[in-house]
């Protein structure tokens, strides 16, 4: 399970030498925060909150990609639905995909899948992966695109499932061109 709200012990190390920068790192369940003495408590609190989320996301991402190998999943789906014809340069979970379930860069052939999919049924996750993979052939939601995606028999069900999760717009699925 992924905890959306991280609960780390926080240890603040203040120093006169650090004039401007605040940095943090995670050591097991403790977040070490290095901050200048001059910073106000309220400012520090705000920054810590931000850093906490960032470190937590990074940690989740690392763990997810270690335990759920999307490369293997994509290889299987490539064989099953695309005649093994797709060339994917990378596929991984991302924790910054909160508004979308996945995205695909047609040019670089990189696919990112939202970590939120982990909490959903496997057939929903597979639908999203197939959807993104199909964008390697068809960048737009054309008729041909949906013909390809519907090789996956649970497409309509999965779309309904995602709609019920509150993302009913098709753009909610991807269509973000990632830089690089
Ligand atoms: Zn799409």
């Amino acid at each position: 399970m992924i905890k959306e709200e991280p609960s780390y012990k926080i240890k603040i190390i203040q120093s006169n030498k650090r004039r401007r920068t605040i940095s943090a790192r995670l050591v097991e369940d403790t977040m070490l925060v290095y901050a200048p003495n001059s910073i106000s408590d309220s400012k520090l609190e705000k920054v810590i909150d931000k850093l906490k989320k960032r470190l937590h996301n990074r940690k989740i991402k690392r763990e997810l990609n270690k335990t759920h190998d999307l490369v293997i999943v994509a290889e299987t789906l490539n064989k099953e639905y695309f005649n093994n014809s797709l060339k994917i340069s990378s596929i991984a979970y991302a924790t910054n995909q909160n508004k979308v379930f996945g995205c695909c860069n047609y040019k670089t052939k990189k696919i990112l899948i939202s970590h939120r999919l982990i909490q959903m049924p496997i057939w929903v996750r597979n639908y999203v992966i197939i959807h993104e993979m199909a964008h390697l052939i068809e960048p737009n939601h054309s008729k041909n695109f949906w013909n390809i995606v519907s090789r996956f028999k649970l497409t309509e069900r999965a779309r309904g499932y995602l709609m019920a999760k509150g993302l009913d717009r098709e753009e909610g699925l991807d269509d973000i061109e990632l830089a690089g």
Side-chain angles (χ1 to χ4, degrees):
M1 278 302 279
I2 299 148
K3 271 196 237 153
E4 290 295 342
E5 273 307 308
S7 58
Y8 298 118
K9 283 175 229 141
I10 292 166
K11 198 176 167 193
I12 299 165
I13 300 143
Q14 282 183 303
S15 147
N16 284 326
K17 281 179 199 152
R18 263 171 202 276
R19 295 256 172 235
R20 282 195 201 111
T21 56
I22 299 176
S23 64
R25 65 192 176 98
L26 268 184
V27 179
E28 285 170 20
D29 275 344
T30 305
M31 189 171 117
L32 301 177
V33 181
Y34 301 89
N37 265 336
S38 54
I39 193 165
S40 71
D41 284 355
S42 63
K43 172 111 193 273
L44 189 58
E45 206 173 299
K46 252 184 230 158
V47 175
I48 286 176
D49 214 49
K50 218 183 266 173
L51 288 171
K52 191 159 68 172
K53 278 189 192 123
R54 200 188 294 164
L55 285 177
H56 185 67
N57 277 347
R58 227 182 269 165
K59 190 179 167 206
I60 289 179
K61 195 171 133 181
R62 250 200 324 268
E63 281 167 9
L64 279 181
N65 285 306
K66 218 192 300 172
T67 50
H68 303 261
D69 199 340
L70 278 181
V71 175
I72 291 167
V73 176
E75 273 172 12
T76 309
L77 296 174
N78 195 3
K79 274 182 206 135
E80 206 170 333
Y81 297 98
F82 299 93
N83 220 358
N84 216 11
S85 64
L86 299 183
K87 300 270 174 280
I88 303 165
S89 62
S90 73
I91 178 164
Y93 282 108
T95 46
N96 58 354
Q97 305 286 300
N98 284 321
K99 294 202 183 78
V100 294
F101 288 115
C103 67
C104 171
N105 188 309
Y106 182 73
K107 283 182 203 123
T108 62
K109 308 199 183 306
K110 286 182 183 175
I111 294 174
L112 289 176
I113 301 294
S114 168
H115 74 290
R116 294 188 306 157
L117 267 304
I118 285 279
Q119 288 153 315
M120 296 180 196
I122 285 176
W123 52 273
V124 175
R125 190 192 60 184
N126 282 352
Y127 159 70
V128 173
I129 297 171
I130 290 166
H131 181 117
E132 300 309 330
M133 288 169 84
H135 277 311
L136 295 173
I137 307 168
E138 278 287 336
N140 304 310
H141 293 136
S142 61
K143 195 163 179 283
N144 188 39
F145 171 84
W146 288 114
N147 283 341
I148 296 164
V149 174
S150 51
R151 290 173 195 162
F152 181 61
K153 294 292 167 236
L154 294 166
T155 286
E156 282 313 308
R157 247 181 95 188
R159 290 181 73 190
Y161 183 97
L162 292 171
M163 239 176 250
K165 287 271 164 197
L167 277 138
D168 53 344
R169 293 168 303 125
E170 209 51 67
E171 309 86 74
L173 286 169
D174 58 349
D175 300 338
I176 285 185
E177 270 271 328
L178 288 179

